[in-house]
Amino acid sequence: MGGHLVSIQKQFIRSCAGCRVRIRAMRSGRLKLSPARELLLSFPAGFKIWPEEKKRSFLFDMLNRPIRVCGVVPNAGEPGGAPFWVEDENGDLSVQIIEKAQVDLNSSEQSAIWNLSTHFNPVDIVCCARDFEGKPHDLRKFVDPRRS
């Protein structure tokens, strides 16, 4: 997992530097950059018609952030978090590791989603907390206080 993180980090560095200069061609609203595929990035509605500078700023912010690689294994009913698509208050989607304690199991909808999870995370995580220039990120900027 550490080697995979280093590989992604190298791609991020190249991509962030490229965002400062220009945006690569978009195809069907998806970036033609490997990190976008690795991250399963979700683009906001209207992204394709945004001005070039707004696109560049958005992409730079999405790529110049702490990187986390989480190992998952097939779900065999063991305790641990599981990967899910999570929608924030702005409607933006991201893949997050959700712990069972974060799920309202009294909700039939949430319980059903939790029970359909195919993988779980046995707490295998590697992180890079440096930006594309090698400077430490202020990790407080990446905390969602509603999930603490």
Side-chain angles (χ1 to χ4, degrees), residues 96-117:
Q96 301 290 324
I97 299 294
I98 303 299
E99 298 295 331
K100 192 172 190 174
Q102 295 174 278
V103 179
D104 178 3
L105 295 174
N106 293 320
S107 161
S108 58
E109 181 183 11
Q110 285 192 24
S111 183
I113 292 169
W114 179 263
N115 290 328
L116 288 173
S117 64

Side-chain angles (χ1 to χ4, degrees), residues 46-70:
F47 179 81
K48 289 201 261 183
I49 61 170
W50 284 1
E52 196 74 12
E53 186 55 38
K54 185 175 178 180
K55 287 180 185 178
R56 185 179 296 119
S57 177
F58 172 82
L59 294 172
F60 183 81
D61 289 344
M62 291 298 292
L63 296 173
N64 189 35
R65 58 188 314 125
I67 305 167
R68 171 182 66 191
V69 174
C70 303

Side-chain angles (χ1 to χ4, degrees), residues 11-97:
Q11 293 174 40
F12 273 40
I13 290 168
R14 285 191 302 270
S15 298
C16 285
C19 282
R20 288 191 162 183
V21 178
R22 62 182 172 80
I23 299 292
R24 292 184 187 222
M26 300 290 164
R27 184 181 292 160
S28 302
R30 290 196 162 268
L31 245 185
K32 288 179 69 177
L33 297 173
S34 296
R37 288 191 302 273
E38 292 286 340
L39 286 175
L40 304 173
L41 289 179
S42 172
F43 294 93
F47 179 81
K48 289 201 261 183
I49 61 170
W50 284 1
E52 196 74 12
E53 186 55 38
K54 185 175 178 180
K55 287 180 185 178
R56 185 179 296 119
S57 177
F58 172 82
L59 294 172
F60 183 81
D61 289 344
M62 291 298 292
L63 296 173
N64 189 35
R65 58 188 314 125
I67 305 167
R68 171 182 66 191
V69 174
C70 303
V72 295
V73 296
N75 188 348
E78 299 293 328
F84 290 95
W85 282 99
V86 175
E87 184 176 4
D88 68 15
E89 69 279 355
N90 298 323
D92 296 328
L93 296 172
S94 64
V95 177
Q96 301 290 324
I97 299 294

